[in-house]
Amino acid sequence: MKLFGTSGIRMKNLDPLIAYKVGFAISKNFKKAVIGRDTRTTGNLIESAITAGLLNGGCDVTTIGMVPTPVLGYSAKDYDLGIMITASHNPPEYNGIKLFNKNGTAFDPQQEKELENIIENDDFNEGTWDNIGCVVEDKTAVKKYFEYILQSLNINTNFNVVVDCANAAGCVVSPNIFTEAGCKVISVNSHCDGRFVGRMPEPNETNLKETVDIIKGLNSNGRNYVGIAHDGDADRMIAIDELGRVTDFDKLLAAFCKYLVQKTGADKIVTTVDASMAIEEYLNEFGAKVIRTKIGDVAVAEELEKTGAIFGGEPSGTWIHRDIHLTPDGILSGLRVLEMMEFYGKKLHEIIDEVPSYANMREKISCPDNLKQKVMDYVSKEGEKIFKKKPETLEGVRFSFEKGWILIRPSGTESYVRVRVEAKEKDFAEKLMKTGISMVKKGISGK
């Protein structure tokens, strides 16, 4: 049985029976849980099902209602674990379950595997009438998070900000906290609606077109609004600059890494194998080491704890600010982008345009889950023949060259194999992408 992917459990029309069994399995080793959910229409259903499983195993449950993932992760410190009901950026028909340790980090693969084993082997510890768990409600979680984040900030400029919450969990925190930080805020898609009526929760250029138009209109009179847009549970964000451009994820990450190193003197930064090589080039002059790890916030958090680095980020917009807390936090990330702008005394588009520009390409190829390993084995062997070099296998299969790189990896949440290419020259990037797609398709077909 394989329930957990790269980021917890995510399924279309998630069966509440699965949620019940997950709760029951959790209760075997944990006796005090806190639960939050995003705005999805099935949120109450899945929360009720997982709560029933927890109670049946004697685990006490505290519910904190509709909250962003960073609020849930921050709250987990007072319990044995935190449980977030969310499918993040997935469409409204999906839901999911993500589990957090007391320190705010997501469960690692080994912890998830242990739960899967309990479920698969029916190894539950059913409670009796006199030791069933109890449920209490805590209405202070948002307030505690809100106050903690505000006291961790240092913003003295009154920025103009458009906050787009995708009708999702960020609605209950993000517009208010930007206002309290001194910003003039215009809220977009900031009423809670689990159907995501304003836009789909993935913060990309297609979904943010109307928000971009709003920012362009506002700035036609020179008002310099920037945008902060969240995904479904606000553990991620992407920024929109004053020119109405959805900032390149890699460029924004590189710029923020440079800012943090300059401001704090940090000597190391953590990122993933799919992040731009611009980060190394941008940090060379400061002598800061770039540590690359597997894709996913779990791997980033583990490396942060291992190395003592204060920041780790993925080009997806999932950033962990270890100096503040260990849960990916799109709300905090957006606020710290404003800190960066204040530090440099520059507009966001000016900061982004200073980052080196390389050709970046991403493709995803449909692939049945049961063929993913076969495909990756083929890509590894065939790629070694074609490129005449050994593959890097920290995550998927990567081949690095002087002027670029290609990464091919199976998706952990969807039935795809992803191909990511970056190169200093467009022609080389196109050549790498063409080769990568060809290898994946041949691996799938077996021809």
Side-chain angles (χ1 to χ4, degrees):
M1 175 181 292
K2 179 65 174 174
L3 292 175
F4 292 90
T6 304
S7 188
I9 296 172
R10 285 185 205 165
M11 294 182 185
K12 188 175 182 179
N13 301 317
L14 177 61
D15 188 345
L17 180 58
I18 291 175
Y20 171 81
K21 288 182 177 180
V22 170
F24 206 176
I26 289 169
S27 70
K28 184 168 184 179
N29 297 311
F30 300 92
K31 295 305 174 187
K32 193 178 177 185
V34 58
I35 300 181
R37 67 180 189 279
D38 68 16
T39 59
R40 292 168 195 272
T41 58
T42 56
N44 278 314
L45 171 65
I46 300 304
E47 181 179 337
S48 296
I50 200 168
T51 297
L54 290 162
L55 298 179
N56 199 17
C59 181
D60 293 333
V61 175
T62 298
T63 63
I64 58 175
M66 190 181 295
V67 296
T69 287
V71 173
L72 184 282
Y74 175 71
S75 301
K77 67 185 185 305
D78 298 321
Y79 303 87
D80 293 338
L81 84 161
I83 303 169
M84 185 67 192
I85 311 301
T86 181
S88 188
H89 63 274
N90 290 83
E93 62 270 25
Y94 284 77
N95 213 332
I97 301 166
K98 191 162 184 179
L99 307 176
F100 291 86
N101 295 296
K102 284 179 69 70
N103 66 353
T105 61
F107 270 31
D108 62 37
Q110 181 57 40
Q111 290 176 294
E112 294 173 338
K113 181 63 176 174
E114 288 172 4
L115 291 177
E116 287 179 346
N117 288 339
I118 293 171
I119 294 169
E120 189 169 8
N121 298 320
D122 288 325
D123 189 19
F124 302 108
N125 287 346
E126 188 167 359
T128 58
W129 68 270
D130 57 346
N131 70 351
I132 295 297
C134 66
V135 181
V136 296
E137 182 181 11
D138 179 7
K139 295 183 178 181
T140 67
V142 168
K143 182 175 183 290
K144 290 175 181 176
Y145 165 86
F146 198 106
E147 292 175 347
Y148 176 71
I149 296 300
L150 280 178
Q151 73 181 21
S152 303
L153 297 173
N154 183 25
I155 300 174
N156 300 301
T157 302
N158 297 322
F159 290 100
N160 294 332
V161 183
V162 173
V163 178
D164 184 340
C165 298
N167 304 115
C171 296
V172 301
V173 176
S174 201
N176 288 335
I177 202 167
F178 275 87
T179 299
E180 289 301 314
C183 302
K184 181 178 180 181
V185 175
I186 293 178
S187 301
V188 177
N189 301 319
S190 291
H191 65 282
C192 296
D193 192 318
R195 300 167 297 176
F196 306 126
V197 292
R199 68 164 171 88
M200 287 295 102
E202 175 70 17
N204 58 30
E205 280 198 59
T206 299
N207 293 334
L208 293 171
K209 185 178 183 307
E210 291 182 351
T211 306
V212 164
D213 288 343
I214 289 170
I215 291 172
K216 286 181 177 179
L218 289 167
N219 290 346
S220 63
N221 293 322
R223 285 182 278 189
N224 292 320
Y225 273 86
V226 295
I228 300 295
H230 299 302
D231 62 338
D233 60 333
D235 67 342
R236 294 167 54 202
M237 71 89 205
I238 188 62
I240 302 168
D241 70 21
E242 300 87 352
L243 303 179
R245 302 179 305 184
V246 177
T247 56
D248 180 276
F249 279 109
D250 281 294
K251 283 192 169 188
L252 185 61
L253 177 59
F256 187 80
C257 288
K258 178 182 176 181
Y259 151 70
L260 210 59
V261 167
Q262 280 190 280
K263 181 180 179 181
T264 69
D267 61 353
K268 60 182 79 74
I269 291 290
V270 175
T271 191
T272 49
V273 294
D274 63 334
S276 174
M277 57 189 177
I279 298 176
E280 278 92 348
E281 296 191 12
Y282 218 37
L283 297 183
N284 270 344
E285 63 178 293
F286 304 104
K289 181 180 180 182
V290 177
I291 303 168
R292 291 184 178 262
T293 188
K294 291 182 178 181
I295 294 167
D297 61 275
V298 174
V300 172
E302 286 178 347
E303 198 65 30
L304 287 172
E305 290 286 79
K306 176 182 173 183
T307 63
I310 64 170
F311 174 76
E314 299 184 76
S316 63
T318 308
W319 295 0
I320 300 177
H321 308 265
R322 181 176 169 271
D323 55 329
I324 297 181
H325 70 135
L326 275 165
T327 302
D329 192 335
I331 300 167
L332 173 59
S333 296
L335 290 162
R336 296 193 89 177
V337 166
L338 302 184
E339 282 189 335
M340 175 180 70
M341 292 167 61
E342 183 175 270
F343 179 80
Y344 289 122
K346 295 179 179 180
K347 296 174 183 177
L348 181 58
H349 74 86
E350 295 171 334
I351 296 170
I352 295 300
D353 285 346
E354 291 174 356
V355 182
S357 291
Y358 300 129
N360 278 278
M361 297 181 180
R362 292 177 172 85
E363 293 288 345
K364 58 183 184 180
I365 302 160
S366 294
C367 177
D369 292 340
N370 64 329
L371 292 182
K372 286 178 177 176
Q373 188 56 55
K374 171 193 166 188
V375 170
M376 296 313 299
D377 290 341
Y378 176 83
V379 166
S380 181
K381 293 177 183 176
E382 189 66 12
E384 187 171 350
K385 292 178 186 176
I386 293 172
F387 297 126
K388 295 182 170 50
K389 58 171 50 191
K390 290 282 186 183
E392 304 160 32
T393 56
L394 176 63
E395 172 87 0
V397 175
R398 175 173 162 147
F399 293 93
S400 299
F401 312 90
E402 184 178 343
K403 295 183 178 180
W405 53 272
I406 179 171
L407 173 68
I408 302 172
R409 68 178 185 90
S411 170
T413 57
E414 300 172 287
S415 297
Y416 293 109
V417 171
R418 301 184 185 277
V419 184
R420 166 90 158 93
V421 165
E422 183 180 47
K424 293 184 178 181
E425 299 171 359
K426 185 180 178 182
D427 288 349
F428 187 43
E430 290 174 344
K431 181 180 178 181
L432 287 176
M433 178 58 74
K434 184 178 179 181
T435 303
I437 291 173
S438 175
M439 286 194 295
V440 171
K441 288 183 175 179
K442 286 180 180 179
I444 293 171
S445 66
K447 297 179 182 179

